[in-house]
Amino acid sequence: MTAGLITTLAPAAAADSTTDLGVSLSVTSKSGDVAVGGGKVFVSAENQIVVTDTAGVLSGAIAGLSGAQGLAMRPDGTRLYAALRGLNEVVEIDTATLAITRRIALPSNPCPSYLALSGDRLWVGYGCQHMYNGGVLGVDLSAAVPAPVEFGPNTSYAPILAAAGDTLVFGDPGVMPTDLLVYDVGGASPTSRGVISGSANGELSNLLDLAITGDGSKVVSSFGSPNRFDVWDTTSLTRTRTYGEESASHGSWRAVAISPDGEHVAGGSWRGSVDLTLFDTGTGATTYTTANPVGDVVQGSLAFSGDDVFSVLRASRDGRLHLWRAEDTTLSGSTLTLTPPDWSIVSKPLTMTGRLTLSGEPAPGPQQLVVTRRPDHGAATTLPAVTTAADGTFTFTDTSTAGGGTTWEVRWNGDSDHRAATASAFIWTRFPASLTLTGPRRGSSAARCGSPAH
């Protein structure tokens, strides 16, 4: 009786980390945004910002905040900006000391909720739900005393924003169908480029998140309906591609992010069998998928950090927040297969074969693999390392040491271009047995008269 596990798109689960942040949020809370910089990860959690290192280990918290929601990080990682709905202000935080270095009061702009940075200008989406007192304002962070400048139309909710280069895009999540407004922000004051019409582009409704390429030329939208990601050209204001519409495993898309090099789009989902998916920006192909059983991705909570993706999960049972680090997501995939025998006998050698395959490589060449043996009721033992042949095939022989079930696991730790991979096999291990039959050394037979043998 055997069972083998083959890893394909997903990396080995042991490479990821999930950290309980020690706080719970209601399903209606808009906190749970995530930002990475200065060797730290920051998560907004209503009256505080929880801080971990980039391995997900808790390192502190910034307390005394009211209604912390949207976060924005300087590209150099030295300053974090946080929107505080309860205080009608934006705070600037030194990421090294976690001290608040500046407070930008917004007395005339209630419920600041969403932030976006482009150069030295911070864009703020403000407005309390159902109050029709929202809009967008810009803040020149290079000024000693920043003076917020409002522009654009009033909105029913706080607009969701994305900005990069000379482009700012925002939409009102409280209006359906939902338009996306595109502004050129390269000059002294924002000027409208036009509107991506929600009604003219398939009844776009329930805006959940926006992500923009580093040069501002493309923006990716996540709407509740249609349940997919749309890519828009911010100059022609036309749709150029869609992602994720064909997959039923992701549930409802809730968050989107673009890698710094613009080559990957990450999507986070809610109530699906897959929680995180990466797409190739150019081809639209799915390059990575993985799941986390802890909870669902919080709306808007995705952030790239090198090859890793950070997200915030909310457990449906108690609303507990967890930081999820998915490692090496942007690297190419690798696959390990392991073929075991049907069963084994204690103290008798058994042989297993397998293959390592690297995406985009005709042959991986010699690669070292780590092999472990773990009986059902015993500790794991690391076996001598195994090296693949040039074509990726490998063989090893081992001897089981205990009866019952035994699991062998093979792991490749990955390289600078490919994710790690594991494969495992469970085998029933039997004790040796013998059967003895005792009888006379000689015998005779009698045949009945009239039979053919008589």
Side-chain angles (χ1 to χ4, degrees):
M1 178 176 176
T2 63
L5 171 66
I6 301 173
T7 59
T8 52
L9 295 175
D16 296 348
S17 66
T18 305
T19 304
D20 188 336
L21 298 180
V23 294
S24 297
L25 294 181
S26 70
V27 69
T28 58
S29 174
K30 297 298 183 180
S31 282
D33 197 10
V34 61
V36 186
K40 297 182 177 69
V41 183
F42 301 85
V43 177
S44 63
E46 287 295 347
N47 62 349
Q48 63 181 310
I49 295 175
V50 183
V51 186
T52 78
D53 64 16
T54 52
V57 178
L58 285 167
S59 59
I62 306 166
L65 309 177
S66 178
Q69 185 172 326
L71 304 177
M73 180 69 68
R74 282 273 196 182
D76 62 6
T78 60
R79 293 291 186 272
L80 173 75
Y81 297 90
L84 306 182
R85 296 190 321 275
L87 298 177
N88 283 0
E89 67 180 10
V90 172
V91 293
E92 179 186 78
I93 298 167
D94 185 317
T95 58
T97 65
L98 304 186
I100 295 176
T101 56
R102 180 159 52 169
R103 293 179 179 270
I104 303 171
L106 305 172
S108 302
N109 308 105
C111 301
S113 302
Y114 299 102
L115 302 178
L117 266 170
S118 60
D120 283 325
R121 284 193 281 187
L122 179 69
W123 309 101
V124 183
Y126 66 91
C128 306
Q129 293 186 15
H130 306 295
M131 297 300 291
Y132 294 88
N133 58 358
V136 178
L137 57 84
V139 178
D140 184 357
L141 297 174
S142 66
V145 182
V149 177
E150 301 176 19
F151 67 95
N154 289 335
T155 58
S156 64
Y157 280 40
I160 295 174
L161 308 148
D166 294 336
T167 304
L168 169 69
V169 182
F170 61 89
D172 182 352
V175 173
M176 294 179 282
T178 309
D179 295 335
L180 297 179
L181 284 67
V182 183
Y183 278 76
D184 189 312
V185 293
S189 59
T191 58
S192 174
R193 287 188 196 159
V195 175
I196 298 171
S197 169
S199 59
N201 284 282
E203 296 296 307
L204 306 174
S205 299
N206 188 21
L207 179 62
L208 299 170
D209 202 9
L210 293 172
I212 195 167
T213 56
D215 60 2
S217 64
K218 300 285 191 301
V219 66
V220 182
S221 62
S222 175
F223 285 92
S225 178
N227 184 30
R228 68 187 184 208
F229 300 119
D230 289 319
V231 184
W232 308 92
D233 186 295
T234 59
T235 299
S236 66
L237 310 184
T238 57
R239 183 190 291 114
T240 60
R241 185 178 291 279
T242 62
Y243 302 122
E245 190 174 24
E246 72 287 349
S247 176
S249 61
H250 58 68
S252 299
W253 297 117
R254 305 287 286 177
V256 63
I258 299 176
S259 61
D261 60 10
E263 295 182 1
H264 306 274
V265 171
S269 63
W270 178 69
R271 294 189 177 177
S273 58
V274 171
D275 299 306
L276 178 65
T277 302
L278 259 66
F279 304 94
D280 182 279
T281 303
T283 66
T286 298
T287 60
Y288 173 95
T289 63
T290 190
N292 192 309
V294 169
D296 298 312
V297 174
V298 173
Q299 178 185 336
S301 70
L302 282 180
F304 277 91
S305 178
D307 295 317
D308 301 341
V309 173
F310 286 90
S311 181
V312 180
L313 305 176
R314 180 185 179 277
S316 57
R317 175 173 51 85
D318 56 7
R320 196 86 163 180
L321 291 188
H322 296 75
L323 178 67
W324 180 21
R325 174 194 179 215
E327 189 178 44
D328 293 341
T329 60
T330 64
L331 300 184
S332 297
S334 63
T335 302
L336 265 176
T337 61
L338 183 61
T339 304
D342 290 338
W343 50 274
S344 68
I345 297 176
V346 174
S347 300
K348 296 290 185 180
L350 60 88
T351 299
M352 297 193 199
T353 61
R355 180 186 289 271
L356 171 66
T357 305
L358 306 184
S359 177
E361 300 288 342
Q367 300 290 335
Q368 192 172 84
L369 308 176
V370 178
V371 182
T372 58
R373 178 204 324 120
R374 187 181 69 255
D376 275 354
H377 303 289
T381 300
T382 300
L383 307 181
V386 174
T387 301
T388 66
D391 64 355
T393 59
F394 63 90
T395 301
F396 68 90
T397 300
D398 190 29
T399 302
S400 55
T401 59
T406 301
T407 299
W408 280 263
E409 181 179 276
V410 180
R411 176 178 173 84
W412 181 63
N413 287 322
D415 59 21
S416 59
D417 297 316
H418 297 86
R419 292 190 295 274
T422 60
S424 65
F426 175 85
I427 304 175
W428 286 111
T429 308
R430 306 170 181 175
F431 286 101
S434 62
L435 178 65
T436 302
L437 181 64
T438 302
R441 295 177 59 84
R442 297 174 63 86
S444 61
S445 62
R448 293 178 299 173
C449 183
S451 69
H454 184 64

